[in-house]
Amino acid sequence: MKYNFDEIIDRHNTGAIKIEKCKALFGTDDLIPLWVADMDFRTPDFITNSIAKRLEHPILGYTTPCEDYYKSVIHWIEKQHQWKVDRQWFGFLPGIVPGLAFGVNAFTQPNDEIIVQPPVYPPFLNVPTKNDRKVVFNPLKEINGRFEMDFDDLERKITGRTRLFILCNPHNPGGRIWERETLIRLAEICYKHGILVISDEIHSDMALPGNRHIPFATASELAEQNSITYMAPSKTFNMAGLISSSYIIPNRDIRKRFSEFLENSELANGNIFAYFAAKAAYENGSEWLKQMIQYIQGNLEYVVDFLQKNIPQIVPMIPQASFLIWLDCNGMNMNSNELQDFMVHKAGLGLNKGTTFGPGGERRLRLNIGCPRSILEQAMKQLKKAIDELD
Ligand SMILES: Cc1ncc(COP(=O)(O)O)c(C=O)c1O
């Protein structure tokens, strides 16, 4: 079967955040929304059919995930990432951002320090702060057009109050797939200082051609025994509204503490459709995913080529995974506010403002390319026109 990613689907009046929150965020909804990280592709039919099938039964009572659900996730992780996950290590998680808050509350106290690597997905900064923890920055360095970790800086930043490190693997917004050596070194440092690692691997199924994701916990024994991994079908299969994720914790003591935290707060359950949809995605999703990745790669090549030829003052960081591009707009000679204003009011584009990703986000923007090519073509046309009018 050939899936159609060119189809334009109107998302108005469906509660889509990408559309509904434009006015609040950009001051207008008269723009092409290329921000929130979901895709404008049809959620695959094997997922929507699984929900329709469950609806054929007339009772939607209290529901627990069946063993087949667990089997499907475990099998998927082994097939995708060559990681043999024991059934005991694994549990349902109602969303990864909630999972960040659960991890923060289960393993740290107010005023404890949590290290993150900006520029990074904004909840990594906001969730600890809102929970009265201190966020410590270990900024990523940009070397030869991609992000690298700075371990000297990391070791300098660790204090007696550092309890947690939140890793973005693959990295959002840089699309960086971390190499095994990098993960091994990170695991050593964190283990040595008694710092637990939460590895957010929500983008892990979407390695772009020529790249392979390495789950943090598979990097070394130290990584395996000192980490919590989060994975989900939500980004991969465009089903974020169903709220369905998993945690994987190989170490028994860490797992006990985390699962007790979830159970004591009654946070361990999902909704009926989450289980059925996730199982359907993992059992049937390989071919759809392959075609989706090919389409995204085409979108990436299109945008990179267009910018190089027409707008060299905007330089894309080439992602190794997922459907987001981090744009360096230093060549535009605008500060971050001017840049956002220009994109919204002159180019008619709604992109994520770089500064929301923390230090290193100045004069940067994040562009979502998970949409039909024709929308990107229109966006690039509008951008070029607006830039030409500046001269
Ligand atoms: C790194 C990362 N983690 C988590 C999420 C969202 O996770 P969830 O929808 O399960 O809360 C996103 C969405 O953009 C993300 O990029």
Side-chain angles (χ1 to χ4, degrees):
M1 172 159 179
K2 174 97 178 73
Y3 293 100
N4 177 12
F5 299 98
D6 287 324
E7 181 187 14
I8 308 263
I9 301 174
D10 183 359
R11 297 182 69 182
H12 285 91
N13 304 316
T14 63
I17 289 183
K18 197 183 265 175
I19 309 269
E20 299 300 334
K21 296 261 169 99
C22 276
K23 196 137 195 147
L25 190 68
F26 302 111
T28 172
D29 42 23
D30 185 18
L31 43 69
I32 304 180
L34 299 164
W35 58 297
V36 170
D38 63 14
M39 301 185 283
D40 293 327
F41 307 138
R42 181 179 286 272
T43 303
D45 55 356
F46 45 86
I47 293 174
T48 48
N49 288 346
S50 76
I51 296 172
K53 174 127 187 19
R54 181 58 188 82
L55 278 169
E56 283 170 12
H57 191 281
I59 299 176
L60 303 176
Y62 289 120
T63 305
T64 184
C66 58
E67 270 313 303
D68 278 359
Y69 160 81
Y70 292 108
K71 272 192 201 143
S72 71
V73 189
I74 288 167
H75 183 246
W76 176 263
I77 294 172
E78 184 171 0
K79 195 173 67 166
Q80 281 293 111
H81 306 299
Q82 291 70 55
W83 184 17
K84 251 186 161 346
V85 170
D86 193 294
R87 167 71 185 87
Q88 306 297 321
W89 301 353
F90 173 85
F92 178 84
L93 187 71
I96 289 184
V97 174
L100 297 177
F102 305 159
V104 163
N105 282 291
F107 294 97
T108 70
Q109 300 293 324
N111 296 322
D112 278 351
E113 293 169 7
I114 298 177
I115 300 190
V116 300
Q117 296 180 308
V120 72
Y121 179 53
F124 281 38
L125 319 173
N126 306 336
V127 169
T129 308
K130 283 193 224 158
N131 283 277
D132 297 324
R133 271 59 169 180
K134 191 169 168 223
V135 173
V136 175
F137 295 134
N138 169 223
L140 294 171
K141 293 195 292 194
E142 213 179 306
I143 299 174
N144 296 331
R146 67 183 195 185
F147 284 131
E148 302 292 347
M149 292 191 195
D150 183 346
F151 291 119
D152 293 336
D153 178 75
L154 174 60
E155 299 220 66
R156 277 197 302 273
K157 297 278 171 71
I158 293 170
T159 74
R161 289 228 66 153
T162 315
R163 299 279 176 269
L164 197 62
F165 183 102
I166 310 181
L167 170 69
C168 202
N169 179 37
H171 181 260
N172 169 9
R176 179 77 160 92
I177 289 192
W178 300 111
E179 282 101 7
R180 188 174 297 280
E181 300 67 47
T182 303
L183 298 177
I184 290 173
R185 179 93 182 94
L186 179 65
E188 276 167 5
I189 295 173
C190 288
Y191 186 83
K192 187 168 102 189
H193 295 278
I195 301 167
L196 176 67
V197 177
I198 292 184
S199 186
D200 176 341
E201 309 201 357
I202 196 169
H203 294 277
S204 60
D205 291 328
M206 297 178 288
L208 291 168
N211 298 284
R212 176 173 281 285
H213 169 72
I214 300 170
F216 175 72
T218 66
S220 67
E221 176 78 14
L222 294 184
E224 184 190 84
Q225 290 305 318
N226 185 39
S227 63
I228 299 181
T229 300
Y230 295 149
M231 290 186 169
S234 47
K235 298 270 161 220
T236 319
F237 296 104
N238 213 24
M239 48 180 269
L242 286 164
I243 321 251
S244 170
S245 335
S246 332
Y247 69 81
I248 303 156
I249 310 178
N251 179 281
R252 203 177 42 172
D253 296 339
I254 301 172
R255 189 168 65 240
K256 184 164 178 293
R257 186 155 162 189
F258 189 70
S259 60
E260 279 178 4
F261 175 87
L262 294 185
E263 276 153 29
N264 296 348
S265 313
E266 299 296 345
L267 293 166
N269 299 315
N271 74 79
I272 185 168
F273 301 116
Y275 308 136
F276 286 92
K279 176 171 164 309
Y282 286 139
E283 285 179 353
N284 305 290
S286 298
E287 179 56 29
W288 184 90
L289 177 57
K290 199 169 114 201
Q291 292 183 29
M292 190 276 280
I293 292 290
Q294 275 165 4
Y295 193 88
I296 292 292
Q297 178 68 24
N299 279 357
L300 173 63
E301 285 166 14
Y302 165 72
V303 170
V304 170
D305 184 63
F306 187 94
L307 292 177
Q308 272 170 359
K309 288 189 179 134
N310 300 287
I311 314 176
Q313 53 276 57
I314 298 183
V315 181
M317 182 175 271
I318 311 295
Q320 297 167 297
S322 204
F323 51 87
L324 307 166
I325 311 184
W326 189 235
L327 301 174
D328 179 342
C329 304
N330 273 294
M332 296 280 290
N333 292 323
M334 295 178 186
N335 67 31
S336 298
N337 288 338
E338 290 164 347
L339 186 62
Q340 184 70 334
D341 216 50
F342 169 81
M343 286 293 166
V344 172
H345 298 292
K346 300 282 191 263
L349 302 180
L351 280 70
N352 295 82
K353 194 173 177 185
T355 46
T356 59
F357 296 78
E362 303 80 12
R363 295 172 300 282
R364 298 321 200 263
L365 295 166
R366 193 191 71 177
L367 168 69
N368 180 342
I369 59 166
C371 61
R373 184 96 25 98
S374 58
I375 293 186
L376 278 184
E377 285 166 356
Q378 180 60 32
M380 289 299 119
K381 204 166 117 191
Q382 289 178 204
L383 182 56
K384 173 148 173 42
K385 183 166 176 286
I387 287 181
D388 288 347
E389 282 168 6
L390 281 176
D391 301 331

PDB file of all heavy atoms in Angstrom, residues 171-191:
ATOM      1  N   HIS A 171      17.761  14.438  20.122  1.00  0.00           N
ATOM      2  CA  HIS A 171      17.602  15.776  20.662  1.00  0.00           C
ATOM      3  C   HIS A 171      16.587  16.605  19.880  1.00  0.00           C
ATOM      4  O   HIS A 171      16.598  16.622  18.652  1.00  0.00           O
ATOM      5  CB  HIS A 171      18.973  16.472  20.633  1.00  0.00           C
ATOM      6  CG  HIS A 171      18.946  17.850  21.183  1.00  0.00           C
ATOM      7  ND1 HIS A 171      18.892  18.961  20.385  1.00  0.00           N
ATOM      8  CD2 HIS A 171      18.956  18.290  22.448  1.00  0.00           C
ATOM      9  CE1 HIS A 171      18.875  20.038  21.151  1.00  0.00           C
ATOM     10  NE2 HIS A 171      18.916  19.657  22.401  1.00  0.00           N
ATOM     11  N   ASN A 172      15.727  17.265  20.633  1.00  0.00           N
ATOM     12  CA  ASN A 172      14.811  18.271  20.084  1.00  0.00           C
ATOM     13  C   ASN A 172      15.249  19.591  20.690  1.00  0.00           C
ATOM     14  O   ASN A 172      15.307  19.679  21.915  1.00  0.00           O
ATOM     15  CB  ASN A 172      13.376  17.913  20.509  1.00  0.00           C
ATOM     16  CG  ASN A 172      12.380  19.027  20.231  1.00  0.00           C
ATOM     17  OD1 ASN A 172      12.687  20.015  19.584  1.00  0.00           O
ATOM     18  ND2 ASN A 172      11.176  18.864  20.752  1.00  0.00           N
ATOM     19  N   PRO A 173      15.612  20.612  19.927  1.00  0.00           N
ATOM     20  CA  PRO A 173      15.321  20.853  18.523  1.00  0.00           C
ATOM     21  C   PRO A 173      16.404  20.467  17.517  1.00  0.00           C
ATOM     22  O   PRO A 173      16.205  20.678  16.321  1.00  0.00           O
ATOM     23  CB  PRO A 173      15.155  22.383  18.490  1.00  0.00           C
ATOM     24  CG  PRO A 173      16.171  22.874  19.485  1.00  0.00           C
ATOM     25  CD  PRO A 173      16.154  21.832  20.576  1.00  0.00           C
ATOM     26  N   GLY A 174      17.526  19.903  17.931  1.00  0.00           N
ATOM     27  CA  GLY A 174      18.646  19.732  16.990  1.00  0.00           C
ATOM     28  C   GLY A 174      18.556  18.492  16.107  1.00  0.00           C
ATOM     29  O   GLY A 174      19.311  18.348  15.161  1.00  0.00           O
ATOM     30  N   GLY A 175      17.626  17.576  16.455  1.00  0.00           N
ATOM     31  CA  GLY A 175      17.501  16.336  15.690  1.00  0.00           C
ATOM     32  C   GLY A 175      18.746  15.467  15.792  1.00  0.00           C
ATOM     33  O   GLY A 175      19.004  14.622  14.930  1.00  0.00           O
ATOM     34  N   ARG A 176      19.495  15.659  16.880  1.00  0.00           N
ATOM     35  CA  ARG A 176      20.781  14.971  17.026  1.00  0.00           C
ATOM     36  C   ARG A 176      20.577  13.580  17.596  1.00  0.00           C
ATOM     37  O   ARG A 176      19.917  13.394  18.629  1.00  0.00           O
ATOM     38  CB  ARG A 176      21.653  15.801  17.985  1.00  0.00           C
ATOM     39  CG  ARG A 176      23.026  15.222  18.264  1.00  0.00           C
ATOM     40  CD  ARG A 176      23.925  15.496  17.094  1.00  0.00           C
ATOM     41  NE  ARG A 176      25.329  15.392  17.460  1.00  0.00           N
ATOM     42  CZ  ARG A 176      26.042  14.292  17.358  1.00  0.00           C
ATOM     43  NH1 ARG A 176      25.504  13.167  16.921  1.00  0.00           N
ATOM     44  NH2 ARG A 176      27.321  14.307  17.697  1.00  0.00           N
ATOM     45  N   ILE A 177      21.170  12.586  16.931  1.00  0.00           N
ATOM     46  CA  ILE A 177      21.220  11.228  17.473  1.00  0.00           C
ATOM     47  C   ILE A 177      22.565  11.087  18.176  1.00  0.00           C
ATOM     48  O   ILE A 177      23.612  11.248  17.545  1.00  0.00           O
ATOM     49  CB  ILE A 177      21.063  10.193  16.346  1.00  0.00           C
ATOM     50  CG1 ILE A 177      19.617  10.225  15.852  1.00  0.00           C
ATOM     51  CG2 ILE A 177      21.492   8.814  16.789  1.00  0.00           C
ATOM     52  CD1 ILE A 177      19.206   9.092  14.952  1.00  0.00           C
ATOM     53  N   TRP A 178      22.524  10.829  19.465  1.00  0.00           N
ATOM     54  CA  TRP A 178      23.786  10.779  20.223  1.00  0.00           C
ATOM     55  C   TRP A 178      24.519   9.471  19.966  1.00  0.00           C
ATOM     56  O   TRP A 178      23.905   8.393  19.968  1.00  0.00           O
ATOM     57  CB  TRP A 178      23.504  10.947  21.720  1.00  0.00           C
ATOM     58  CG  TRP A 178      22.845  12.263  22.020  1.00  0.00           C
ATOM     59  CD1 TRP A 178      21.559  12.461  22.444  1.00  0.00           C
ATOM     60  CD2 TRP A 178      23.425  13.568  21.872  1.00  0.00           C
ATOM     61  NE1 TRP A 178      21.310  13.804  22.569  1.00  0.00           N
ATOM     62  CE2 TRP A 178      22.433  14.507  22.230  1.00  0.00           C
ATOM     63  CE3 TRP A 178      24.673  14.051  21.475  1.00  0.00           C
ATOM     64  CZ2 TRP A 178      22.647  15.889  22.201  1.00  0.00           C
ATOM     65  CZ3 TRP A 178      24.890  15.416  21.445  1.00  0.00           C
ATOM     66  CH2 TRP A 178      23.887  16.320  21.812  1.00  0.00           C
ATOM     67  N   GLU A 179      25.837   9.580  19.780  1.00  0.00           N
ATOM     68  CA  GLU A 179      26.643   8.379  19.532  1.00  0.00           C
ATOM     69  C   GLU A 179      26.825   7.582  20.822  1.00  0.00           C
ATOM     70  O   GLU A 179      26.764   8.131  21.920  1.00  0.00           O
ATOM     71  CB  GLU A 179      28.040   8.767  19.025  1.00  0.00           C
ATOM     72  CG  GLU A 179      28.084   9.171  17.570  1.00  0.00           C
ATOM     73  CD  GLU A 179      28.141  10.682  17.408  1.00  0.00           C
ATOM     74  OE1 GLU A 179      28.274  11.373  18.440  1.00  0.00           O
ATOM     75  OE2 GLU A 179      28.031  11.153  16.270  1.00  0.00           O
ATOM     76  N   ARG A 180      27.133   6.314  20.632  1.00  0.00           N
ATOM     77  CA  ARG A 180      27.323   5.426  21.786  1.00  0.00           C
ATOM     78  C   ARG A 180      28.400   5.960  22.741  1.00  0.00           C
ATOM     79  O   ARG A 180      28.203   5.991  23.955  1.00  0.00           O
ATOM     80  CB  ARG A 180      27.698   4.016  21.290  1.00  0.00           C
ATOM     81  CG  ARG A 180      27.728   2.969  22.380  1.00  0.00           C
ATOM     82  CD  ARG A 180      27.950   1.576  21.813  1.00  0.00           C
ATOM     83  NE  ARG A 180      26.859   1.160  20.942  1.00  0.00           N
ATOM     84  CZ  ARG A 180      25.689   0.675  21.367  1.00  0.00           C
ATOM     85  NH1 ARG A 180      25.470   0.509  22.643  1.00  0.00           N
ATOM     86  NH2 ARG A 180      24.748   0.328  20.513  1.00  0.00           N
ATOM     87  N   GLU A 181      29.541   6.434  22.190  1.00  0.00           N
ATOM     88  CA  GLU A 181      30.643   6.920  23.049  1.00  0.00           C
ATOM     89  C   GLU A 181      30.164   8.078  23.921  1.00  0.00           C
ATOM     90  O   GLU A 181      30.545   8.193  25.088  1.00  0.00           O
ATOM     91  CB  GLU A 181      31.841   7.406  22.217  1.00  0.00           C
ATOM     92  CG  GLU A 181      32.483   6.372  21.300  1.00  0.00           C
ATOM     93  CD  GLU A 181      31.572   5.944  20.154  1.00  0.00           C
ATOM     94  OE1 GLU A 181      30.972   6.826  19.504  1.00  0.00           O
ATOM     95  OE2 GLU A 181      31.427   4.721  19.916  1.00  0.00           O
ATOM     96  N   THR A 182      29.348   8.942  23.336  1.00  0.00           N
ATOM     97  CA  THR A 182      28.833  10.097  24.083  1.00  0.00           C
ATOM     98  C   THR A 182      27.941   9.622  25.229  1.00  0.00           C
ATOM     99  O   THR A 182      28.045  10.097  26.367  1.00  0.00           O
ATOM    100  CB  THR A 182      28.025  11.003  23.124  1.00  0.00           C
ATOM    101  OG1 THR A 182      28.874  11.378  22.060  1.00  0.00           O
ATOM    102  CG2 THR A 182      27.482  12.236  23.820  1.00  0.00           C
ATOM    103  N   LEU A 183      27.090   8.649  24.930  1.00  0.00           N
ATOM    104  CA  LEU A 183      26.168   8.152  25.956  1.00  0.00           C
ATOM    105  C   LEU A 183      26.942   7.414  27.062  1.00  0.00           C
ATOM    106  O   LEU A 183      26.613   7.538  28.248  1.00  0.00           O
ATOM    107  CB  LEU A 183      25.121   7.229  25.315  1.00  0.00           C
ATOM    108  CG  LEU A 183      24.225   7.905  24.263  1.00  0.00           C
ATOM    109  CD1 LEU A 183      23.277   6.891  23.626  1.00  0.00           C
ATOM    110  CD2 LEU A 183      23.422   9.058  24.872  1.00  0.00           C
ATOM    111  N   ILE A 184      27.979   6.688  26.656  1.00  0.00           N
ATOM    112  CA  ILE A 184      28.787   5.958  27.645  1.00  0.00           C
ATOM    113  C   ILE A 184      29.440   6.942  28.623  1.00  0.00           C
ATOM    114  O   ILE A 184      29.414   6.765  29.834  1.00  0.00           O
ATOM    115  CB  ILE A 184      29.861   5.087  26.942  1.00  0.00           C
ATOM    116  CG1 ILE A 184      29.187   3.919  26.216  1.00  0.00           C
ATOM    117  CG2 ILE A 184      30.911   4.574  27.931  1.00  0.00           C
ATOM    118  CD1 ILE A 184      30.118   3.080  25.355  1.00  0.00           C
ATOM    119  N   ARG A 185      30.015   8.001  28.056  1.00  0.00           N
ATOM    120  CA  ARG A 185      30.705   9.007  28.892  1.00  0.00           C
ATOM    121  C   ARG A 185      29.706   9.695  29.831  1.00  0.00           C
ATOM    122  O   ARG A 185      29.978   9.890  31.011  1.00  0.00           O
ATOM    123  CB  ARG A 185      31.371  10.022  27.952  1.00  0.00           C
ATOM    124  CG  ARG A 185      32.104  11.131  28.626  1.00  0.00           C
ATOM    125  CD  ARG A 185      33.589  10.790  28.817  1.00  0.00           C
ATOM    126  NE  ARG A 185      34.258  11.872  29.526  1.00  0.00           N
ATOM    127  CZ  ARG A 185      34.421  11.890  30.844  1.00  0.00           C
ATOM    128  NH1 ARG A 185      34.000  10.896  31.585  1.00  0.00           N
ATOM    129  NH2 ARG A 185      35.036  12.904  31.430  1.00  0.00           N
ATOM    130  N   LEU A 186      28.545  10.035  29.283  1.00  0.00           N
ATOM    131  CA  LEU A 186      27.510  10.682  30.089  1.00  0.00           C
ATOM    132  C   LEU A 186      27.084   9.752  31.239  1.00  0.00           C
ATOM    133  O   LEU A 186      26.957  10.191  32.390  1.00  0.00           O
ATOM    134  CB  LEU A 186      26.297  11.016  29.206  1.00  0.00           C
ATOM    135  CG  LEU A 186      25.116  11.670  29.918  1.00  0.00           C
ATOM    136  CD1 LEU A 186      25.502  13.047  30.446  1.00  0.00           C
ATOM    137  CD2 LEU A 186      23.928  11.795  28.967  1.00  0.00           C
ATOM    138  N   ALA A 187      26.911   8.494  30.917  1.00  0.00           N
ATOM    139  CA  ALA A 187      26.491   7.521  31.935  1.00  0.00           C
ATOM    140  C   ALA A 187      27.541   7.417  33.046  1.00  0.00           C
ATOM    141  O   ALA A 187      27.197   7.357  34.232  1.00  0.00           O
ATOM    142  CB  ALA A 187      26.266   6.154  31.287  1.00  0.00           C
ATOM    143  N   GLU A 188      28.826   7.426  32.650  1.00  0.00           N
ATOM    144  CA  GLU A 188      29.907   7.322  33.655  1.00  0.00           C
ATOM    145  C   GLU A 188      29.863   8.500  34.620  1.00  0.00           C
ATOM    146  O   GLU A 188      29.932   8.330  35.835  1.00  0.00           O
ATOM    147  CB  GLU A 188      31.280   7.354  32.954  1.00  0.00           C
ATOM    148  CG  GLU A 188      31.733   6.021  32.430  1.00  0.00           C
ATOM    149  CD  GLU A 188      32.940   6.175  31.484  1.00  0.00           C
ATOM    150  OE1 GLU A 188      33.469   7.309  31.314  1.00  0.00           O
ATOM    151  OE2 GLU A 188      33.324   5.144  30.918  1.00  0.00           O
ATOM    152  N   ILE A 189      29.752   9.697  34.040  1.00  0.00           N
ATOM    153  CA  ILE A 189      29.779  10.902  34.889  1.00  0.00           C
ATOM    154  C   ILE A 189      28.579  10.903  35.830  1.00  0.00           C
ATOM    155  O   ILE A 189      28.712  11.152  37.029  1.00  0.00           O
ATOM    156  CB  ILE A 189      29.795  12.184  34.007  1.00  0.00           C
ATOM    157  CG1 ILE A 189      31.095  12.240  33.206  1.00  0.00           C
ATOM    158  CG2 ILE A 189      29.628  13.431  34.858  1.00  0.00           C
ATOM    159  CD1 ILE A 189      31.147  13.362  32.181  1.00  0.00           C
ATOM    160  N   CYS A 190      27.404  10.609  35.288  1.00  0.00           N
ATOM    161  CA  CYS A 190      26.197  10.658  36.122  1.00  0.00           C
ATOM    162  C   CYS A 190      26.249   9.590  37.220  1.00  0.00           C
ATOM    163  O   CYS A 190      25.905   9.851  38.368  1.00  0.00           O
ATOM    164  CB  CYS A 190      24.942  10.513  35.258  1.00  0.00           C
ATOM    165  SG  CYS A 190      24.654  11.998  34.283  1.00  0.00           S
ATOM    166  N   TYR A 191      26.709   8.415  36.856  1.00  0.00           N
ATOM    167  CA  TYR A 191      26.787   7.337  37.849  1.00  0.00           C
ATOM    168  C   TYR A 191      27.762   7.705  38.975  1.00  0.00           C
ATOM    169  O   TYR A 191      27.462   7.546  40.153  1.00  0.00           O
ATOM    170  CB  TYR A 191      27.213   6.033  37.163  1.00  0.00           C
ATOM    171  CG  TYR A 191      27.184   4.860  38.095  1.00  0.00           C
ATOM    172  CD1 TYR A 191      25.992   4.175  38.335  1.00  0.00           C
ATOM    173  CD2 TYR A 191      28.338   4.445  38.762  1.00  0.00           C
ATOM    174  CE1 TYR A 191      25.955   3.108  39.219  1.00  0.00           C
ATOM    175  CE2 TYR A 191      28.307   3.380  39.646  1.00  0.00           C
ATOM    176  CZ  TYR A 191      27.116   2.709  39.864  1.00  0.00           C
ATOM    177  OH  TYR A 191      27.073   1.658  40.734  1.00  0.00           O
TER     178      TYR A 191
END
